[in-house]
Amino acid sequence: MNNKPAWSWRGVCLCLVVAAMALRVWWALCSNSMPFSDFKRYFDIASEFAATGNLACQGHPFVFQSPAYPLFLGALFKVFSPSVLVGKLANAVLAILVLAIFWKIIERQELSPRAKLMALAVVAFFPPMTTFVSVLGQEMLALVFVVLILLLVKRGGFWLGLCCGLLALTRPQFILLPFCLVGIGWLWKWYSKQACALLLAGFALAMTPWIVRNWLVFRVFIPTTGHSGYVLLVNNNPANRIGVWMPLSKIELTNEQREVFREMNAEHLLEEGDEDWKGVVWTPALDKKVFRMAADNIKKDPLRFIEMGFRRVWNTYFTGGTCALYWAFNGNNRATPALNDLTDWFAIVVFWLSLAGIVVVARQHDPVLISSVLLFLISLLAVFVFEGQGRYVLPAMPASAILIGAVANRLGKIPFNKKLVCSS
């Protein structure tokens, strides 16, 4: 009798997980998505890595974006040869791993069966979590590291730190996560001194080869990417009025700022041309100076920076669902209006319930819940400061799902007074 609810929960969730896995495999096999923009660049870099063993694009050492996904894709291409289908099937495998690991995480949480089911449904059926299987980008790989972190966070130690490092090499904003975990873990006595040291050691081990490579190639300390200045300037220059990415040829610069580009022999980057190629030839030395330009723009008009930050949040969480579908439908929004609307509303509900979840778990010291808060807030901070796109919500979606489960669990415990309802 007592086991019936547990078996019911497991049975329903198993059906849900299997259906979501099948949906992802079907989409990988049947979708006609082809790489373009950032994702075409990943494909080209992975193909060159498979052929030469160098992380480069047409001979130019690559540092513009995070290295983990093109290295992952390139390793697969070495074995199976460069193919879009290989990338899609690899993403399907990653997506299946995400579902399986997340199910394990949810089973371990002290949540009601309904709360667990709701959390699992968020990860299983948020539309871009399926459609991005066919997009050769970082998102599926980042999701694997996120759920592994949530699985390991109670234990702490070396493997947690290693996953934190690999996540930072996939999505650079999460470089903040291990330091937050060590600080909170030590303060709230989750981890011993040894566990904290091992966590940082695992993180350092993951990051070191990339840092050493960048030092040898560029003679600059670059822990994750060499394009933070680029993104900050594009999204925080006076010509950007709507908070979305814009080409370098359209940004507004002072004469002094243009002179910096001339001094760096990079004025051609401000002309009309292939914006993707500009990312390939972008250099860390130029990025350092451009970061200062963007910081100066922010200092001159901090209120405008705040306004643009809120616009970026709006573009990501309130109208970003359709944007996330855009990449899987080859940039022409072939998704039906119903699917676009469903995705937008889904994203909006997830955002507000995630904020509610932060309030619900604020006084709890459970490592999984607090890590979910950190993952969501770090994603939100990166969007507010740098850039907003609908796909940027995906890596933190498991964290949002756990926070939503916490909200559902709390609502299930609120007493319902029938007399009060009738009298009112």
Side-chain angles (χ1 to χ4, degrees):
M1 187 75 177
N2 290 335
N3 289 333
K4 188 174 180 180
W7 282 110
S8 176
W9 135 249
R10 287 181 180 147
V12 172
C13 285
L14 177 60
C15 292
L16 187 150
V17 168
V18 170
M21 288 179 176
L23 184 63
R24 283 150 172 76
V25 174
W26 170 79
W27 183 261
L29 293 172
C30 297
S31 64
N32 65 350
S33 307
M34 295 299 294
F36 67 99
S37 189
D38 289 3
F39 311 113
K40 178 64 164 60
R41 182 162 56 236
Y42 286 139
F43 183 88
D44 292 341
I45 293 165
S47 300
E48 190 161 337
F49 178 81
T52 67
N54 296 320
L55 196 68
C57 188
Q58 298 185 29
H60 293 271
F62 183 72
V63 73
F64 187 69
Q65 288 165 310
S66 305
Y69 185 74
L71 284 173
F72 168 77
L73 196 60
L76 290 174
F77 285 175
K78 271 184 176 290
V79 177
F80 298 104
S81 79
S83 164
V84 174
L85 181 60
V86 168
K88 290 181 180 181
L89 291 176
N91 278 351
V93 171
L94 294 177
I96 288 170
L97 280 174
V98 169
L99 286 166
I101 296 169
F102 188 72
W103 185 15
K104 188 70 174 177
I105 295 166
I106 288 299
E107 278 195 312
R108 293 181 178 181
Q109 288 301 109
E110 295 181 0
L111 298 172
S112 68
R114 288 182 182 178
K116 291 178 179 180
L117 184 62
M118 184 177 291
L120 195 58
V122 170
V123 173
F125 294 122
F126 180 56
M129 294 287 282
T130 295
T131 60
F132 252 77
V133 166
S134 64
V135 178
L136 303 190
Q138 307 162 323
E139 283 69 24
M140 289 299 136
L141 186 61
L143 278 162
V144 170
F145 296 134
V146 165
V147 293
L148 283 173
I149 288 168
L150 292 171
L151 182 70
L152 298 171
V153 71
K154 288 185 178 180
R155 186 184 307 173
F158 176 83
W159 293 109
L160 174 61
L162 189 70
C163 289
C164 286
L166 293 173
L167 178 60
L169 292 174
T170 310
R171 295 297 302 165
Q173 65 266 35
F174 291 113
I175 196 171
L176 299 173
L177 182 63
F179 303 104
C180 294
L181 289 177
V182 167
I184 295 175
W186 173 251
L187 179 66
W188 287 351
K189 299 182 180 178
W190 293 348
Y191 310 135
S192 64
K193 288 182 180 179
Q194 182 181 10
C196 289
L198 287 172
L199 194 160
L200 292 175
F203 175 72
L205 180 65
M207 301 293 292
T208 297
W210 178 242
I211 292 172
V212 170
R213 177 264 193 185
N214 291 334
W215 179 261
L216 293 175
V217 173
F218 301 106
R219 293 296 171 181
V220 178
F221 173 74
I222 304 172
T224 53
T225 70
H227 81 311
S228 58
Y230 177 103
V231 177
L232 197 65
L233 181 64
V234 163
N235 288 281
N236 292 283
N237 76 89
N240 194 327
R241 302 186 185 282
I242 56 176
V244 297
W245 184 88
M246 60 189 299
L248 285 173
S249 57
K250 303 297 184 183
I251 64 175
E252 183 177 326
L253 299 173
T254 65
N255 291 332
E256 292 78 7
Q257 290 171 336
R258 286 187 174 274
E259 183 61 32
V260 172
F261 277 87
R262 282 192 286 270
E263 290 173 356
M264 300 292 293
N265 295 319
E267 194 175 15
H268 62 283
L269 298 176
L270 302 177
E271 299 171 358
E272 297 283 348
D274 185 348
E275 295 297 321
D276 293 325
W277 179 248
K278 293 177 184 180
V280 172
V281 299
W282 191 263
T283 65
L286 177 61
D287 195 74
K288 185 176 181 180
K289 292 182 179 295
V290 166
F291 191 96
R292 291 174 183 168
M293 293 182 199
D296 288 341
N297 289 341
I298 293 170
K299 290 177 184 177
K300 289 177 183 176
D301 196 349
L303 291 179
R304 186 176 184 280
F305 167 71
I306 294 171
E307 176 194 348
M308 297 303 294
F310 281 111
R311 286 183 180 272
R312 287 187 281 271
V313 170
W314 179 268
N315 294 332
T316 301
Y317 294 96
F318 292 86
T319 61
T322 302
C323 174
L325 294 175
Y326 169 89
W327 302 103
F329 287 87
N330 297 318
N332 53 17
N333 278 337
R334 286 183 182 172
T336 64
L339 181 58
N340 285 331
D341 291 343
L342 171 65
T343 305
D344 279 340
W345 280 109
F346 203 138
I348 292 168
V349 171
V350 166
F351 176 78
W352 286 116
L353 288 180
S354 297
L355 292 181
I358 293 173
V359 176
V360 166
V361 308
R363 295 185 180 181
Q364 300 185 43
H365 288 188
D366 178 85
V368 175
L369 296 178
I370 299 305
S371 297
S372 297
V373 172
L374 291 174
L375 286 162
F376 176 77
L377 289 180
I378 289 171
S379 293
L380 184 61
L381 177 64
V383 167
F384 187 89
V385 174
F386 285 100
E387 184 177 6
Q389 286 191 36
R391 62 189 174 103
Y392 294 162
V393 307
L394 294 184
M397 190 58 66
S400 290
I402 289 173
L403 295 175
I404 291 169
V407 172
N409 195 64
R410 174 63 63 87
L411 291 175
K413 294 179 179 179
I414 295 176
F416 190 74
N417 190 323
K418 292 184 178 179
K419 291 183 177 179
L420 180 61
V421 172
C422 293
S423 64
S424 61

